[in-house]
Amino acid sequence: MVVYVTRRETFNAAHRMYREEWSAEKNEDVFGKCANPNWHGHNYTLLVTVKGEVSDATGYLIDLKQLKVIIQDHIIEKLDHKNLNLDVDFMTGKMATTERLCMAIFTQLKTPIERNIGVFLHSVRLHETENNSAECFGE
Ligand code: NI
């Protein structure tokens, strides 16, 4: 039987939504307050879900400390207190939306989790606010 286990992490980061090739007016039209030239921040909540079969010996799917360390090393250290448009190598050239960030986090985590812990990465859910989130299953 397959079980799903989720680790929650939080970080805060700044961003701005804009396209260089668009005028200030068009950026403001499309992105509203998120186009503010002087940036703004969010307190993000990240939910990382892995799946697999429970160990007979421990009753665990994984040692959650291992998952915590992988998320810390590959994601939180790169994003927390950073500017998503300027500071994050894996977001270079991408729009700093919740959707793009969620997909990029999935890609960043997939190999380390599957290689080092030996379970499948099922999903990454990223909340930009309490009410708004994106989820990615790697499809
Ligand atoms: Ni925003």
Side-chain angles (χ1 to χ4, degrees), residues 3 6 20 27 33 41 44 48-51 55 58 65 73 78 87 108-109 121 123 127 139:
V3 70
T6 301
E20 296 275 5
N27 273 300
K33 283 196 295 189
Y44 290 91
V48 176
T49 301
V50 297
K51 70 175 174 182
S55 155
T58 63
K65 283 195 299 281
D73 290 353
K78 294 185 174 185
D87 298 333
Q108 290 299 304
L109 286 176
L121 176 58
S123 65
H127 281 261
E139 307 150 340

Side-chain angles (χ1 to χ4, degrees), residues 15-17 33-34 40-42 44 96 128:
H15 75 165
R16 178 190 176 202
M17 299 303 310
K33 283 196 295 189
C34 287
H40 66 278
H42 294 281
Y44 290 91
E128 188 178 79

Side-chain angles (χ1 to χ4, degrees), residues 118-129:
V119 287
F120 289 105
L121 176 58
H122 173 66
S123 65
V124 168
R125 185 176 196 96
L126 183 65
H127 281 261
E128 188 178 79
T129 67

Side-chain angles (χ1 to χ4, degrees), residues 89-102:
D89 54 1
F90 63 79
M91 289 300 289
T92 302
K94 296 180 177 139
M95 300 298 287
T97 58
T98 314
E99 292 89 328
R100 287 273 182 227
L101 185 55
C102 183

